[in-house]
Amino acid sequence: MMRRAVAAVLWLLASAVAALAADPPQAPILRIEAGGHTGAVPRLAVDAAGRILATAGYDKTVRLWSLRDGEPVAVLRPPIGERQEGEIYAVAITPDGRRVFAAGATGGAWDGTFSVYVFDAEKGSLSGLLPGLPAPVNDLAVSPDGTRFAAGLALGGIRVWDAASGRKLFDDAGYGGPVRAVAFDRQNRFYASCADGHVRAYDDAGHRIADAEPRAGLRPWGLAVSPDGDLLAVTYENADRQGSLHLDVLAAGTLAHAFSPETAGLKGEGLLSAAWMADVRGGVQLLAGGYARGAGGNVIRRWADFGMGAPTDLEAARDTILHILAVPGGGAVYSAEDPGWGRIAPDGRVAYRPQPPMVDLRPAREQRLAVSADGTIIEFSAGPGTLHFDAVARTLAPASKLDGNLTAAIVSAPGLSISGWLDTSAPRLNGVVLALERNEISRSLALLPDGRGVLLGTDTHLRLFGRDARPIGAVATPAAAWAVTVSADGRFAIAALLDGTLRWYGLTPDAPLAERAALFSHADGQHWVLFTPEGFFDDGDRGGEALVGVHLNRARNQQPEWISFSQAYRALYAPAVVQARLHGDPAPARAHAAELGDLRLRLVQQPLVELANPCVPGSGGACEPLELGRGLAPVIPAGATTLRLGVKVTDRGAGVGHLDVFVNKRNTGRHPPPPAAATTTIDVPLDPGANAVQLRAYDGTGTIFSETPPLVLASAGNGSGDTRGRLYVLAIGIDHFASPQLTLHNAVADARTFVDVVRRAATPLYRSVEITLLVDSQATRAGIMAAFNLLSQQVRSGDTFLFYVASHGDRGELDGRFLLIPEDESDISSAATIARDAIGENTLVAALARIPARDALLFLDTCHSGTVTADNLANVGHETGRYLLAAASSLQEALDSYDNRNGVFVYAVREGLSGKAATDPDGTVSALALGEYVSRRVGQLAREKKYQQDAQFKAAERELRSFPIGRVVRDAPPAAPELAPK
């Protein structure tokens, strides 16, 4: 990937004049957001206190991390464009941690020059930029006293500025190649390494005081100044003619050779970085790494005694080590192409290796990438195993055995001679060189059926060629296409990219290589999202909506907008649209996009929500303020149960809707729209122990929300609130309605069975099981709301809550939102009268939000009328932050009973809690296990009866913890059911 950056320099310089624009592109740009970098991490920076780590990414982000615990703090997003525009190759942070400088391939696409972006680290936003540089920036450095910062350019030497004013202090363009690294010492002397073979030193006035070529034929890359400022370590990106790697230590100032640490035994193309690290004994150790490889991946070599001691190799990453940086107080951090960053403890051990946030698709090239004839099933090698994805069943799981009906890439065929396509820039078809851009490298190949053409995956494109080697079509890819395959009939292709996505492309004559959809899988192999080029998506049972979002540029000197799919869930969650797009039908996507209107406008006009003056109410009306500071969570007093927040919501053009308060990822209160431009005070209920508080402000349509960063609170008390409390169940079943036309036959029986099954299974686990059962005339609108009101007063944070309802559901005619039909629904002559008497989705979410139980699972068996699907119900789970199990089908009415006793949904629940769902060794069934079992089992049961019914299980948050529902009480299995009469 580092070689890709060099190629990017040439491409950007060649194309900068060709297609300039005054500002960044304004169209929405879909980007992955997996909580970590999805591209190589070329540079790191640390503040003087060792609190904050900044990481630069090829994925066009800078990320801030807490060095204390390794947790993410913020994502800094610059303006971005197509291809390499926006890739970040360099980062630096001021000693006080307040400002972050970032640069790379930044700005060249719209004004022909490149910029250094300046971010406010506290606010996580772009605060300025330094434009006008002639080439991309390869490295940045801030002086230890914070008074100046410097850039090393791909072409044009170095620049040094005053850090406070941005005034240029000095420059030097007299370099014969790209600058690789820049560094300051504590006297503000300045050093630069260059691919022309030289290292240069400057005094604090900018005079060049030394120029050395440490080793003839080697190209210096990494630089590191020793803690006392007397020594300068230099690494080289290439090996010598004998294949040996080298690291030299020079005298700072004069650049005279001091000594060379032992590098014998290191194998690879070169070393890219070095660092001087304080150790636990008060000594200094020298570290170096790069392409050097060991048996378990790439290594960092460590030498004691300032580099003069014996070497030790540390297995540090699976791929190239790109940067190593000492941490104040001891130890070091390092970055890699894995991608990610790791840490070396002061005792010299690798404490933390890079943890990529996505599945590793590189094995797919040599091992397995195969697709079904209709494109709905793919199998792909990822890390140690092979994963099986079924877009129709909505499952991602390890492949128990390989599916022989899937088609893998064909790389040879009669009459076609393919050569040089693997990791070269000159692939040939029957002796003819296939046309690529300069320095573009071919990575993968698949032949079309019957040898009709050749599909080539490169570092930057998919390219389709005919048998005669003439180009048919090409499409840019956001990352290298490491593996490709083509369907058996040649209608579409699948590409596995190094950003962790698998992408579907049509191969039709009228639109060759038109992208259809993309799948991104989290590294855990459980969370995934499938999305279309328009931004419509589907995701897995365990969530995935936060893994992708929309990047919206503003002006080149303004902070871009970022809206995750989670924030636009109601607008963009569209599984049926995704299915159609996957099969090559773009019409539903076009229709849905037309309904949404100008998506960019809707996204940028979402209201802005801000928090102010958090305090903890006490006796006598006083409210104790909380001090907020980066890196340290405010501590709430022991026994505190409430947080008071000042909230300001600003209308940015789309109006202001309701306000939701989330505590530890669950909705604890839905509030009416606050007054415009005024600060509203809200009291937030807290859980025992630590809390994370976040606010969502919806636009006027209640469709898209903005949210505050989580306010994390530590507790002075020692109670965690984890002691198992009581289980509360609210179950509703309605057979007989005020309108006889709505009559059902098994809803009451389903509710009673649900209550009986849960009571029996949960009793061994909970202090008590408290049941509220409303059937028929008890389940009026007023009766249901009264039950919610009473439970909101009884339930405590440490309790668990289950909500089951078997009734009719409907969709609002105007807004398409869910309506729960109560017993006293008497007039169904029009959509207006139904909506008037029903319990609307907003009311239901607000009622559920008032239940303070930390753990809850919603069972919605409300689709007997056939007008509601499980997809329509998913938003209830999303807006409550609760686990959701929904049964839905257009044929639910025909399958009102499965076994003359219950419908398929409750029958599956009954099975799951009787031992069919997965259990722990004690026989305990968790919410997660039950949800996954029921969502699979409902479809199986329905198909046994020749019906089609879908159930859906949803976890609203990726990190949502599971909790026990019951313990299996083994008894005789139910008798084989007979088909119920219609």
Side-chain angles (χ1 to χ4, degrees), residues 608-628:
L608 178 67
V609 58
E610 301 171 276
L611 301 181
N613 307 319
C615 62
V616 177
S619 58
C623 199
E624 181 181 343
L626 293 178
E627 294 187 12
L628 304 182

Side-chain angles (χ1 to χ4, degrees), residues 151 342 478 482 709 890:
W482 209 252
S890 60

Side-chain angles (χ1 to χ4, degrees), residues 572-659:
L572 300 180
Y573 180 68
V577 171
V578 176
Q579 288 289 324
R581 200 72 167 89
L582 198 67
H583 287 90
D585 180 9
R590 291 172 185 158
H592 199 2
E595 292 175 5
L596 291 176
D598 187 336
L599 181 61
R600 176 188 169 85
L601 186 63
R602 294 191 66 174
L603 294 177
V604 299
Q605 287 186 339
Q606 62 179 306
L608 178 67
V609 58
E610 301 171 276
L611 301 181
N613 307 319
C615 62
V616 177
S619 58
C623 199
E624 181 181 343
L626 293 178
E627 294 187 12
L628 304 182
R630 183 172 295 282
L632 293 175
V635 178
I636 56 176
T641 59
T642 304
L643 174 70
R644 182 164 295 160
L645 288 174
V647 182
K648 181 179 180 181
V649 180
T650 303
D651 184 355
R652 296 197 291 176
V656 176
H658 52 262
L659 190 70

Side-chain angles (χ1 to χ4, degrees), residues 459-479:
D459 275 347
T460 57
H461 284 80
L462 283 183
R463 297 187 181 277
L464 186 62
F465 299 90
R467 285 182 65 92
D468 57 3
R470 292 183 181 179
I472 296 175
V475 61
T477 56

